[in-house]
Amino acid sequence: MRSTRRIDRYGPLLAAGLGAAIIAYIAFFAPPEPQAPRWDGAGSTEPQHGGTFVFHHESVIRTFDPAIAYDELSSMGIRLLFDGLLDYDEETRLVPSLVEAMPTQSEDGKTFTFRLRRGVEFHCGGELTADDVLFTMERMLGPDTSSPGYVFYANITGVDEYRAGESAHIRGIRVVDDRTIEFALDEPDQTFLNAMAMPFAYPLPRSHYENPTVDVRTTACGTGPFTLDPDDWEHGVQAVFERNQNYWNAPLPYVDRMIYQENLTRDVATMRFRNGDLDAVHRFSPADYIFLRNAPAWQPYIDEHPKANLWGVGMNTQMAPFDNVHVRRAVAFVVDREAWKRQRSNRLMPTGQPLPRGFMGYREDLEGAHYTDLDRAREEMALAGHPVHRDGDRWVAEGLEDTEIEFWVGEGDTGRQYGEMAQADLAKIGLRISIKQVSFPVYLEESGKPGRVPLLLTGWNMDFPDPANFLDVLFNTSSISEQNSNNRTFYSNPIVDDLLDRARIEQDITARERMYVEAQELIVADAPWAFMWSDLTMEAWQPYVRGYHPSPVYSMDYRDLWLDLPKRRMQARHGTDLQPRHRLSGLLPFGGNL
Amino acid sequence: MLEFALKRAAWASFVMLAVITIVFMLVSQIGDPCAARLGANARPEQIAACHEQYGFDQPLTAQYGAYLGLSSCVRKSSPNYDGGEGHCGILQGDLGESMRMEQDVVEVILTRLPRSMLLGAMAMGFEVLLGVFIGIIAATRRNTWFDTGVMATAFVGISAPTFLSGLLFLYFFAFRLGWFPVGGYGNTPLEHIYSAILPAFTLAIIGAATYARIMRSEMVETLRADYVRTAKAKGLGPVAVIMKHGARNALLPIVTLMGLQLAILVSGAIITESIFAWPGVGRLAIESIHNLDAPIIMGVVIMVSFTVQFGNFLADVAVGALDPRVRVDQE
Amino acid sequence: MGSRIGAFFFSDPRALRRFRKNRGATAGLALVVLVTLTAVVGPLLAPHSPEEQNLEELLHDNGLPIAPGENPAHPLGADTLGRDELSRLLHGGAVSMQVALFATALAVFIGLSIGIISGYFGGAVDMFAMRGVDILLSLPFLLIVIAIQRVVDRPELWTLFLLLGLLSWTTLARVTRAKTMQVRELEYVQAARALGMSRRRILLRHVLPNVMGPAIVIGTTLVAQMIIVESAMSFLGFGVQPPNASWGSMLREGQQYLSHAPRLVLYPGLLIMATVFGFNLLGEGLRDALDPKD
């Protein structure tokens, strides 16, 4: 019994039209995306006290226990709650923090003496003493904590016995008096002070962390500029840090309160930031990156700097055809760094050597550094005995016509896209590769075993700013083992090993730097990796966030900034933190701006 | 009656055991959580130490027994670990410890659960309100342009994938128009509700269409029934007729459907929660899979299955108590 | 629809007539045929290879892909790796449809077999099968599928449809079982049994035709659900793996470019929606035709 009225017959069309009209209305007449910061600074020139700073991370905070944390997310909070004995300045030099002066080093380079600063109070009461430092080290290195950090301190005398439970204390650490503590090493090691500046060694009060009634996983007691009340940490949502009124390094900190929002996806974070509800952002989708990088109004409030990391195509030097140095060089010269950079929206900085820019031993004009040169790549293939010739629309390398090489990449869209780009590049010298994308643990496990993975996309992030952390870990023969090798290309050159081993203990900086330059030259010539790029990190903050300088060592280290808040902004922040714009004017065409 | 309930409970426990076993085997194959946790710079010693702490160095059977709480604990980080008799498994109410968050799995899930339940409850509220309303109107104006138009829209609603509608809602209504917070959960109860509106609506689109269809067909049938015609003939107003007869009859399927949807309340909405950065169980689950946080994945699956089983059990026992025939059928 | 095919699907000629009169169902059928055709013929029509990259010409300096109309050889522009968007959409459709159709076929086959067997024979078989259904139903579907997909070392297309098929037969099995139990008690089936008709013949001649109706309806909506599930998994990063690309994985890639190139989300998104819409309409039409309530 269908209705025959005209309206009923054409009704569905009408309804569809109406729906389309509504959608079109929203799409075209909704207010445009904000192009400029919503709030400006008030214009103060001197640092101001007060205000709330809101920042975020896309994942979930794991812990604020410095002995356990080993990720960017936790370290962002730990840097607010704790101080190290040593810290880095803006030039990546080690400077004293909780110690009065840089530690003294004995003649043989094996003993370091630290003298603690006077009058440093812990959040939960009590003054910092040498015993707390001893406790911190023994707790972190103890078998019950299973801190991932202990590899950096294995050189302290007696650590192995202590970990095995054969001794009650670490022999090499000695409390001289209340404020003096001494560390003895098995071997001289110039990276030891870097290790002592890592968050693993941030001093903790014995009274709090040894107390069995305290849940150290959710509480934090340090000496840092901010304090955390466990009730203010709503897991998976946010942690609220309050100003430490007794901070030893007055007048710092400037900000009254820091809100660390967890679990915000990058799209959501950037939208919030552009709406003025978030004070700093640091990870972007390509679209957001392109916007912020180019919007004129945002230019004074963004910073882009190379990250201390390294990426490249690793070639297993024990597996054919990469056991031939010429094939490896050919790959190093054929990968099109500029094209990769463009695909990543220019978010990577091409390089041709193992050390990131700014590291001791990095040379802008390093001899033999890799660059992209197709002709040279083909020459190297000829030298390798695989001359390349054209066959129809593709290139063929003689002797490798039927060889398909597995190229291992980590998971995720990016890994896959790198794989696809490498595939296109290597085809230019007749190398046929198939992409093998596996989960991250599988990738680590398999590529850590000899003779398994011929070709891989590989990278390294800095643990501490010292060339040893790159060259020793990635290219020293000592990093090769039957399983979990960090030297995933199984590169072994006795001359390089000797240089690296000597450089690690060399106390004279100039001599040390010369050795690292020499090692770099040898490594690029052997080309175990096609060295490709360091990532660029962009950060953006609101105009009223002042005194923030991205640290070369710690990601998003917000501890010293201050807020130059305009009055309206202060009101908006009062009490609660979400201030949707309620722009009902959005109902009007052109946002009511007609 | 008691016998029936006991049988039913025994059966539910068997299903739970099967689920736990399946999930345990599945998750034990998912990849090394320690490697995932330690990241790109992992050293061999670090990975080995982590294995030892969480008991991954033990044989799988020992891990399984310990997880159930039947054999001694293998997790060194557990307070019950004593290297010998101490148990730390499901029977002790212990689902292990998150590899990613340094917290008990039970604790983590209990923090996330209320958030997912709020979102789910609001979504269900929207669904029922919208669905019932649309369904009634469509049924009373059957075969008019309104009916066709509304039902066609409902079909489009069913067909729109949440990830598309969610993305567009977030972008237009929160970011461009600024009517709602851009994702997240907020800090006060009022803000929680405010923040939940968009994601709940995204979830509700699909459900509302289903409710509308059911409501409409039930109503259509009822309105045709003789007693309704009689009521109409007796001069009862149309609204009264709908409320008194139509709506009441349609209530049963609606309530049944709501019951079926209860599981969604606890399992969380993976996609919607991901898009709107809603810190609930769904997002927890998907992140744990990304991070290979095995204990959390198991915890979530077990929790969801348990809720489903428990819900079914209650429903069956209730129906059994009310209607003896069911009991006979089950024998 | 040719009448012979019609006769196969509709044992009752009135159902066919009802189906033909239902405008929505016809529209759904048309959409489904169109999409299926595209999936079959599309890859042949694609002007370029879906994997061929041209980072120099098809990406702007800032990494954004070219828009439609900027390069006449690429009418729909390029994707984020400088590949022809039109070709990728055509190939992606084929992948999405393949996964959905194969997974559904598998699910329908399993569901029908288990449903008929457990409904007809009852007893221990029935008990066993239904407990299996209970276990599957109490698992969170998407989560489990993703977890398994994650376990598979290198997921290929066939693992995906195997996985989806193996996990989604439960509803159909339950419905088929109930229907079979009804049919078993029908007089003429009882009679056939009494006359010594073989079990296989009874199942094929009497039971199967009776349960086909619901199976077809459920199967059709299952295709729609499979498309959504596959794209949801791809959206979360666990679905179709490269070098294959489905509409879902294209949408995921495009999501990151939403504010600059919304078309990368809208093209695959709307195609998914249209396909699902088509299957849903068709399913509803079939339901009305086969099981008339009005």
Side-chain angles (χ1 to χ4, degrees), chain B residues 150-174:
Chain B
V150 161
M151 290 328 281
T153 318
F155 255 102
V156 176
I158 293 186
S159 311
T162 9
F163 44 84
L164 187 62
S165 47
L167 267 180
L168 297 179
F169 283 176
L170 181 73
Y171 180 71
F172 282 109
F173 292 113

Side-chain angles (χ1 to χ4, degrees), chain B:
Chain B
M1 182 62 222
L2 184 68
E3 195 193 345
F4 170 65
L6 280 179
K7 265 190 184 167
R8 190 65 189 73
W11 167 234
S13 333
F14 169 72
V15 171
M16 273 319 294
L17 185 67
V19 165
I20 293 171
T21 313
I22 292 172
V23 177
F24 185 87
M25 296 203 309
L26 177 63
V27 170
S28 67
Q29 298 304 315
I30 210 166
D32 186 347
C34 286
R37 165 177 165 164
L38 289 161
N41 288 20
R43 268 79 161 179
E45 308 92 294
Q46 293 172 324
I47 293 182
C50 168
H51 281 169
E52 203 179 310
Q53 190 194 3
Y54 288 93
F56 293 134
D57 54 341
Q58 302 290 321
L60 211 57
T61 43
Q63 289 183 44
Y64 178 65
Y67 189 75
L68 288 177
L70 294 173
S71 62
S72 44
C73 188
V74 295
R75 262 187 307 122
K76 284 194 173 166
S77 49
S78 157
N80 289 341
Y81 179 82
D82 54 11
E85 279 309 293
H87 286 193
C88 57
I90 295 178
L91 289 179
Q92 286 76 40
D94 187 347
L95 288 176
E97 191 185 315
S98 162
M99 306 280 308
R100 187 78 188 177
M101 286 170 276
E102 304 289 321
Q103 276 183 73
D104 286 338
V105 170
V106 176
E107 210 177 292
V108 174
I109 291 179
L110 286 183
T111 331
R112 299 295 188 102
L113 198 53
R115 302 176 191 155
S116 280
M117 287 172 79
L118 171 69
L119 183 57
M122 282 180 64
M124 200 187 270
F126 284 158
E127 278 170 11
V128 174
L129 282 179
L130 261 174
V132 167
F133 181 71
I134 292 176
I136 290 180
I137 295 191
T140 48
R141 308 226 185 308
R142 200 160 75 87
N143 290 343
T144 66
W145 70 273
F146 184 87
D147 177 27
T148 328
V150 161
M151 290 328 281
T153 318
F155 255 102
V156 176
I158 293 186
S159 311
T162 9
F163 44 84
L164 187 62
S165 47
L167 267 180
L168 297 179
F169 283 176
L170 181 73
Y171 180 71
F172 282 109
F173 292 113
F175 182 47
R176 293 275 292 273
L177 288 161
W179 296 343
F180 298 97
V182 184
Y185 180 63
N187 303 326
T188 61
L190 216 63
E191 278 180 9
H192 300 332
I193 293 174
Y194 190 16
S195 309
I197 293 178
L198 265 193
F201 193 72
T202 309
L203 276 176
I205 293 180
I206 290 184
T210 318
Y211 280 103
R213 278 166 57 199
I214 292 184
M215 193 69 199
R216 176 177 174 274
S217 64
E218 288 296 325
M219 286 288 294
V220 164
E221 219 159 293
T222 319
L223 291 180
R224 276 204 191 149
D226 289 341
Y227 63 93
V228 176
R229 288 201 190 144
T230 321
K232 264 191 202 160
K234 280 198 296 191
L236 214 57
V239 176
V241 170
I242 289 166
M243 284 304 141
K244 211 167 163 196
H245 298 290
R248 196 193 288 166
N249 268 20
L251 213 61
L252 194 67
I254 295 282
V255 171
T256 317
L257 192 60
M258 284 171 73
L260 283 177
Q261 280 195 313
L262 274 180
I264 299 174
L265 272 186
V266 290
S267 68
I270 294 181
I271 294 189
T272 312
E273 287 185 5
S274 299
I275 290 175
F276 288 92
W278 185 263
V281 178
R283 192 157 145 71
L284 176 73
I286 203 71
E287 276 187 351
S288 319
I289 291 185
H290 266 294
N291 299 330
L292 298 179
D293 194 342
I296 293 269
I297 305 175
M298 286 195 278
V300 169
V301 174
I302 289 170
M303 192 255 321
V304 172
S305 310
F306 181 77
T307 319
V308 173
Q309 284 301 314
F310 192 66
N312 288 353
F313 170 73
L314 282 188
D316 282 1
V317 171
V319 173
L322 296 173
D323 186 351
R325 275 176 309 173
V326 177
R327 257 180 288 159
V328 177
D329 276 357
Q330 294 268 336
E331 301 290 303

Side-chain angles (χ1 to χ4, degrees), chain A residues 2 33 267 285-288 290-291 336 339 342-343 345-346 411 413 416-417 420-421 424 435-440 442, chain C residues 21 23 53 55-56 59-64 80-81 83 150 153-155 241-243 252-253 255-260:
Chain A
R2 286 204 174 265
E33 297 182 357
D267 305 5
S285 70
D288 291 329
I290 293 167
F291 166 77
D336 192 345
R342 182 205 299 251
Q343 199 280 332
S345 308
N346 306 320
E411 53 201 320
D413 295 341
R416 196 200 60 244
Q417 289 176 347
E420 288 174 330
M421 289 191 287
I435 302 167
K436 181 146 173 101
Q437 192 170 30
V438 292
S439 75
F440 189 57
V442 175
Chain C
K21 270 175 75 180
R23 246 181 290 163
Q53 309 164 19
L55 297 173
E56 266 93 56
L59 292 188
H60 291 288
D61 281 342
N62 60 10
L64 279 179
T80 55
L81 266 179
R83 296 172 294 201
R150 175 100 213 207
D153 176 32
R154 192 182 179 184
Q241 302 293 323
R252 173 188 166 82
E253 279 175 26
Q255 184 214 347
Q256 304 225 307
Y257 293 78
L258 182 61
S259 53
H260 280 66

Side-chain angles (χ1 to χ4, degrees), chain A residues 230-257:
Chain A
D231 293 338
D232 287 341
W233 181 12
E234 199 182 339
H235 295 269
V237 179
Q238 65 177 24
V240 180
F241 303 88
E242 301 288 344
R243 181 171 198 268
N244 177 2
Q245 305 295 343
N246 301 321
Y247 193 50
W248 59 271
N249 196 8
L252 292 170
Y254 295 113
V255 181
D256 279 345
R257 179 182 283 176

Side-chain angles (χ1 to χ4, degrees), chain A residues 67-281:
Chain A
I68 304 281
Y70 195 29
D71 55 319
E72 176 179 277
L73 200 65
S74 306
S75 95
M76 282 165 69
I78 284 172
R79 287 287 295 167
L80 299 177
L81 296 165
F82 301 87
D83 291 303
L85 295 175
L86 303 169
D87 207 343
Y88 291 95
D89 67 5
E90 283 169 24
E91 304 291 316
T92 330
R93 280 180 304 237
L94 281 167
V95 290
S97 174
L98 291 180
V99 287
E100 283 180 339
M102 285 304 285
T104 53
Q105 191 176 2
S106 66
E107 260 323 280
D108 63 359
K110 287 193 189 175
T111 312
F112 292 83
T113 311
F114 293 76
R115 183 128 179 94
L116 299 181
R117 195 180 279 277
R118 223 183 267 280
V120 177
E121 295 265 338
F122 284 111
H123 301 155
C124 44
E127 195 174 323
L128 168 72
T129 64
D131 178 59
D132 292 316
V133 179
L134 172 71
F135 164 74
T136 305
M137 298 305 289
E138 292 195 334
R139 173 175 181 269
M140 185 251 302
L141 297 170
D144 295 338
T145 311
S146 84
S147 162
Y150 80 93
V151 288
F152 304 108
Y153 308 90
N155 196 12
I156 300 176
T157 308
V159 162
D160 290 339
E161 299 153 47
Y162 176 70
R163 284 185 64 80
E166 290 160 14
S167 60
H169 296 283
I170 302 172
R171 271 193 296 129
I173 307 180
R174 193 167 69 91
V175 174
V176 179
D177 62 44
D178 249 13
R179 289 175 46 221
T180 315
I181 188 162
E182 209 177 79
F183 289 81
L185 307 184
D186 287 334
E187 299 288 332
D189 183 356
Q190 287 312 309
T191 64
F192 176 67
L193 289 185
N194 294 111
M196 288 306 290
M198 290 178 81
F200 297 116
Y202 285 4
L204 311 174
R206 186 186 283 275
S207 58
H208 182 85
Y209 286 87
E210 216 172 40
N211 184 345
T213 60
V214 170
D215 184 359
V216 295
R217 297 182 301 181
T218 53
T219 57
C221 172
T223 60
F226 295 89
T227 63
L228 174 69
D229 180 341
D231 293 338
D232 287 341
W233 181 12
E234 199 182 339
H235 295 269
V237 179
Q238 65 177 24
V240 180
F241 303 88
E242 301 288 344
R243 181 171 198 268
N244 177 2
Q245 305 295 343
N246 301 321
Y247 193 50
W248 59 271
N249 196 8
L252 292 170
Y254 295 113
V255 181
D256 279 345
R257 179 182 283 176
M258 293 256 182
I259 299 180
Y260 186 171
Q261 300 186 334
E262 334 168 30
N263 226 354
L264 288 188
T265 53
R266 44 185 87 175
D267 305 5
V268 163
T270 312
M271 288 186 213
R272 280 192 176 186
F273 177 72
R274 290 173 67 186
N275 271 356
D277 294 322
L278 205 58
D279 292 334
V281 278

Side-chain angles (χ1 to χ4, degrees), chain C residues 3-278:
Chain C
S3 60
R4 203 173 296 168
I5 309 174
F8 175 75
F9 280 110
F10 303 104
S11 44
D12 176 2
R14 278 171 304 173
L16 181 57
R17 217 172 308 133
R18 274 197 298 269
F19 180 82
R20 278 188 177 156
K21 270 175 75 180
N22 185 336
R23 246 181 290 163
T26 328
L29 182 68
L31 252 175
V32 166
V33 169
L34 189 73
V35 173
T36 318
L37 261 182
T38 323
V40 176
V41 190
L44 304 173
L45 297 177
H48 299 268
S49 151
E51 281 153 40
E52 178 192 309
Q53 309 164 19
N54 191 341
L55 297 173
E56 266 93 56
E57 282 171 36
L58 300 188
L59 292 188
H60 291 288
D61 281 342
N62 60 10
L64 279 179
I66 60 158
E70 278 185 47
N71 184 334
H74 304 276
L76 290 184
D79 83 339
T80 55
L81 266 179
R83 296 172 294 201
D84 183 53
E85 178 79 1
L86 176 62
S87 310
R88 285 183 73 72
L89 282 172
L90 288 170
H91 281 269
V95 171
S96 291
M97 290 296 292
Q98 256 176 47
V99 173
L101 289 177
F102 280 115
T104 308
L106 185 61
V108 167
F109 176 74
I110 301 177
L112 267 181
S113 324
I114 291 190
I116 291 180
I117 291 172
S118 87
Y120 191 81
F121 296 104
V125 182
D126 181 32
M127 157 94 179
F128 194 70
M130 287 305 109
R131 300 307 82 125
V133 171
D134 276 356
I135 293 172
L136 275 185
L137 279 179
S138 74
L139 291 170
F141 180 75
L142 193 56
L143 201 57
I144 289 293
V145 179
I146 289 174
I148 299 181
Q149 181 81 344
R150 175 100 213 207
V151 169
V152 180
D153 176 32
R154 192 182 179 184
E156 308 254 356
L157 269 192
W158 63 268
T159 54
L160 189 59
F161 59 68
L162 205 66
L163 190 59
L164 291 177
L166 284 176
L167 286 174
S168 42
W169 49 268
T170 43
T171 322
L172 184 62
R174 278 197 164 171
V175 172
T176 311
R177 172 178 172 267
K179 188 88 188 170
T180 310
M181 284 164 92
Q182 276 177 20
V183 173
R184 191 181 58 175
E185 303 307 322
L186 289 179
E187 275 167 18
Y188 68 93
V189 180
Q190 301 263 29
R193 212 167 5 180
L195 288 172
M197 203 178 193
S198 82
R199 218 181 251 163
R200 222 185 79 193
R201 260 185 84 123
I202 296 179
L203 288 182
L204 287 181
R205 279 294 272 283
H206 297 299
V207 179
L208 191 62
N210 274 299
V211 297
M212 263 326 255
I216 290 170
V217 173
I218 293 179
T220 314
T221 27
L222 206 55
V223 178
Q225 282 168 24
M226 285 301 141
I227 290 175
I228 292 214
V229 169
E230 181 275 310
S231 52
M233 287 174 67
S234 295
F235 180 77
L236 294 167
F238 297 103
V240 170
Q241 302 293 323
N244 295 310
S246 71
W247 288 336
S249 58
M250 291 179 68
L251 195 146
R252 173 188 166 82
E253 279 175 26
Q255 184 214 347
Q256 304 225 307
Y257 293 78
L258 182 61
S259 53
H260 280 66
R263 67 200 157 79
L264 294 179
V265 167
L266 289 179
Y267 292 159
L270 291 177
L271 282 170
I272 293 172
M273 208 165 138
T275 313
V276 175
F277 184 60

